[in-house]
Amino acid sequence: MAARRSEAWPLAVTVTALVGLPTLVGGSRYLMTLAISMLVVAGYAVAFNLVFGRTGQLFLCLGALAGVAAYGSVLLADVAGVPLPAAIAVGVACSGGIGGLFSWVAVRRRLGVIFLGIVTLAFSLVFTNLLVGGRALTGGETGLLVDATAGSWLRDRVPAYYVLLAVLVGYLLLDRWLERSWLGWAFRALKDDPVAAELAGVDVVRAKVVAGALGSAMLGLMGALFAVHDGFLSPTGFDFGEIDVRVLVVLAVGGVGSSLGPVVGAVVVTAVDELLRPLGQLRLTVYGALLIVVFLRFRQGLVPAARGLGRRFGARRARATP
Amino acid sequence: MAVLFDGVAFGLQLSLLAVGLTMIYGLGGVLNLAHGQFAAATAIIGARLIEVGFPVALSVISAVAISAGLAMAVDATLMRPVYRLHGEDRVLSSLLVTLGLAFAIDGLLIRFAPFTLLNLAVPGPAFVLLGVPMRRGVVVAALVAAVVLGVLVLVLRVSRWGRAVRSIIQDEEGATLCGIDPSRMRRSVFALSGALAGLVAVTQGLTAPIGATSGRDLTVLALIVTVVGGLGRVSGALVAGVLLGVVHAVASHTIGAVLTFVLLLLVAIAVILLRPSGIVRSAV
């Protein structure tokens, strides 16, 4: 309990800083674009943290799940003429449904982490290939312009930033609330020992499916909202190499399983990403190396590791000065 | 008929690609998501050596040897902490670490050799096989793959080393009790899989030019074949490779490249869901 209460303050400070950000950089189109992509990545990371960090289900189709809702809602709105909010709701429900299905199948068929990883990776590649192949509907590799929000306030950066921030805060609150509900207990029990959890009466199927479906819906909502703000959709925006890797790096930096970690990770990674832009493709190498180092050395993530180091250092100093 | 031959030729290379991956899994319980990247690295190293002026055969052999060395180095460094874990933890951390390695290699290759291609096209008129004209490169690639696979199966069957490998795949603890050192065997199998991945770059280079960006596709193809054949089953990888090669050839002929890839992925998903142990019934 103490550990979770100690996270409330940093969380409030971070959110306040994010709320104030546009008053500082709102004038700069470049910085606002960056800030928005940071929020989106943070949202993806919080969602993935729910699926992977809390219940240990390795989904390697984060981009695809975001893409299902994004393409789904835009196509429904633009081609079928469904009102945008309803279209987004349907798209998000599709993402959630697919994610829940993966979880359900994985639990039912007792697929290990390796099989779930491969199935979801395959789904991710199938999705990208269908987007590229279904040129008539999706515009293929060249992408798709969103008509439904043309000229609306959602296209402006500052209002869109606040919408996305509200969604992110909603995700964080949901995450905290889940942690305190029966699901939170189920998650922790599952993490310690799945078999013991099941024997102790934890509904493993339900806990995993809820986490999978909810996390996927969260990915979908973030993806769809970003798409209608940005006004442009393309397969690269939901590619495994673009989204999944970045989210994994964010989680590696911020820490798997903590509430605030994904947000801190997103801030750090977005900033570092911009600094490394001159490196071009070598950024991939940096990210790869980062993933290796983090998952081998600091299995709980860089931020918690640094905090632990700081605490140890502080304790040593306290001992040194009587 | 032509399609069938093409399929078998491609399938043999798929088998070659998957055998290395499946042996590592069988032996160490780890999955190497950078498998295709070893092939891509071999292609680039080989192409660069040829550019510098080394004879083709020497360049190719050194590139394959370097790939084996790289794989061995990965096993000795990155994988060591992974082997300290057990069960699901080991698989998971191997997935994440080798995914990181895959991106690291991809980034290096694409940054420093974006346009380098390994092209080993064999000049000369087409072979005629049972009335079907086949490109020389394809025939040579298929022969190389078939011979290497044959030798590999033979070595696994009869040699002391092969028996040790198979015994670890079946029962690691039992093998250890019989005086086999699993970590040494793992090292040698990792090196072998690196060499096999490198060899695939060579046989691919005989068929069509291969470059820096091919790593990801090769990894995915290897994964598909490995899964369809059953993780850790050498015989499964052999059968699944040829089978999927034929499927690939027939499908690309009829429904196009994009849908063919989708079809192969769906086959892999279906096998995982319906027969997670793979399509072949056998112990190893």
Side-chain angles (χ1 to χ4, degrees):
Chain A
M1 212 52 195
R4 265 180 293 146
R5 194 166 298 150
S6 75
E7 269 203 333
W9 271 108
L11 202 64
V13 172
T14 313
V15 169
T16 316
L18 288 176
V19 169
L21 192 64
T23 56
L24 290 177
V25 303
S28 160
R29 289 166 59 107
Y30 164 69
L31 287 178
M32 276 315 285
T33 309
L34 212 57
I36 285 174
S37 73
M38 177 187 80
L39 287 183
V40 173
V41 172
Y44 288 161
V46 174
F48 181 53
N49 192 31
L50 178 60
V51 184
F52 177 63
R54 306 269 190 239
T55 55
Q57 305 178 81
L58 183 63
F59 276 23
L60 292 177
C61 56
L62 312 176
L65 286 170
V68 165
Y71 269 92
S73 48
V74 167
L75 287 177
L76 272 180
D78 282 358
V79 179
V82 177
L84 193 62
I88 292 180
V90 174
V92 170
C94 286
S95 290
I98 292 173
L101 186 68
F102 282 140
S103 296
W104 187 75
V105 170
V107 187
R108 269 295 128 109
R109 304 280 312 168
R110 300 201 171 270
L111 299 183
V113 64
I114 198 168
F115 286 117
L116 183 58
I118 295 174
V119 166
T120 50
L121 178 63
F123 168 69
S124 165
L125 297 169
V126 166
F127 179 71
T128 310
N129 275 288
L130 288 182
L131 285 185
V132 174
R135 194 157 290 132
L137 201 59
T138 64
E141 260 161 351
T142 36
L144 187 66
L145 287 173
V146 182
D147 296 329
T149 50
S152 93
W153 57 272
L154 254 177
R155 287 288 173 91
D156 292 328
R157 287 182 180 77
V158 175
Y161 175 87
Y162 280 112
V163 170
L164 292 172
L165 181 58
V167 172
L168 177 63
V169 171
Y171 284 8
L172 290 171
L173 292 176
L174 181 68
D175 188 61
R176 284 183 73 75
W177 178 75
L178 279 177
E179 271 296 278
R180 284 165 187 200
S181 70
W182 70 271
L183 266 170
W185 291 106
F187 290 167
R188 282 188 290 280
L190 259 178
K191 233 187 154 173
D192 289 343
D193 187 341
V195 180
E198 196 161 10
L199 288 175
V202 172
D203 190 343
V204 175
V205 181
R206 210 161 125 210
K208 285 202 166 184
V209 172
V210 168
L214 210 54
S216 307
M218 284 156 72
L219 284 163
L221 181 61
M222 223 34 169
L225 286 177
F226 178 68
V228 296
H229 155 68
D230 200 41
F232 177 68
L233 283 167
S234 75
T236 30
F238 304 104
D239 186 56
F240 175 76
E242 286 285 320
I243 304 296
D244 294 64
V245 175
R246 185 163 305 206
V247 174
L248 273 172
V249 172
V250 163
L251 220 56
V253 170
V256 180
S258 75
S259 294
L260 193 58
V263 182
V264 176
V267 175
V268 174
V269 170
T270 309
V272 171
D273 196 47
E274 275 309 295
L275 293 176
L276 292 182
R277 195 164 284 277
L279 287 183
Q281 289 289 344
L282 268 189
R283 275 187 302 170
L284 262 185
T285 305
V286 175
Y287 287 157
L290 199 64
L291 276 184
I292 296 174
V293 171
V294 169
F295 284 115
L296 284 186
R297 289 271 147 204
F298 316 98
R299 296 201 64 216
Q300 76 276 45
L302 277 189
V303 170
R307 206 191 290 151
L309 211 65
R311 204 171 291 149
R312 222 184 305 162
F313 188 63
R316 201 173 295 164
R317 256 203 336 204
R319 236 180 294 141
T321 51
Chain B
M1 200 63 180
V3 175
L4 199 67
F5 281 173
D6 265 342
V8 172
F10 182 58
L12 284 168
Q13 296 177 52
L14 285 182
S15 301
L16 204 56
L17 191 62
V19 160
L21 196 63
T22 215
M23 278 174 72
I24 295 181
Y25 182 81
L27 218 60
V30 298
L31 199 60
N32 177 15
L33 290 183
H35 196 62
Q37 275 74 9
F38 281 120
T42 309
I44 299 300
I45 294 169
R48 277 291 159 90
L49 287 176
I50 294 173
E51 261 174 40
V52 176
F54 283 98
V56 173
L58 183 65
S59 310
V60 163
I61 292 171
S62 343
V64 172
I66 291 173
S67 177
L70 274 179
M72 213 153 154
V74 166
D75 183 68
T77 54
L78 298 183
M79 299 315 281
R80 271 190 46 185
V82 174
Y83 290 133
R84 259 180 241 134
L85 304 167
H86 292 282
E88 290 275 274
D89 276 347
R90 185 192 276 189
V91 177
L92 179 62
S93 74
S94 78
L95 279 175
L96 294 170
V97 168
T98 56
L99 188 65
L101 179 65
F103 282 113
I105 295 177
D106 267 344
L108 283 174
L109 295 181
I110 299 172
R111 169 68 179 73
F112 291 112
F115 306 116
T116 307
L117 291 171
L118 179 66
N119 185 358
L120 303 170
V122 186
F127 269 124
V128 180
L129 201 65
L130 295 177
V132 181
M134 297 277 288
R135 281 192 299 139
R136 268 167 192 263
V138 176
V139 177
V140 176
L143 282 178
V144 170
V147 168
V148 172
L149 286 173
V151 170
L152 185 70
V153 169
L154 206 67
V155 168
L156 277 175
R157 272 274 147 83
V158 298
S159 80
R160 212 181 146 71
W161 177 85
R163 281 205 299 271
V165 168
R166 282 187 295 141
S167 71
I168 296 178
I169 293 180
Q170 275 173 358
D171 180 359
E172 184 174 332
E173 220 168 302
T176 315
L177 287 175
C178 296
I180 297 168
D181 177 4
S183 73
R184 248 185 63 200
M185 300 307 294
R186 277 200 295 258
R187 182 90 27 103
S188 62
V189 167
F190 229 102
L192 176 68
S193 94
L196 290 175
L199 206 59
V200 171
V202 176
T203 58
Q204 277 286 298
L206 288 164
T207 333
I210 164 172
T213 52
S214 52
R216 225 171 115 184
D217 288 342
L218 288 176
T219 298
V220 173
L221 282 175
L223 265 183
I224 293 174
V225 176
T226 307
V227 162
V228 171
L231 279 169
R233 284 158 201 255
V234 174
S235 54
L238 298 180
V239 175
V242 176
L243 210 65
L244 289 177
V246 174
V247 171
H248 180 272
V250 173
S252 346
H253 201 66
T254 47
I255 57 175
V258 172
L259 284 183
T260 300
F261 193 47
V262 171
L263 178 72
L264 291 183
L265 290 165
L266 292 178
V267 168
I269 294 180
V271 170
I272 288 181
L273 296 184
L274 302 175
R275 286 190 66 102
S277 54
I279 53 170
V280 178
R281 276 178 202 279
S282 85
V284 176

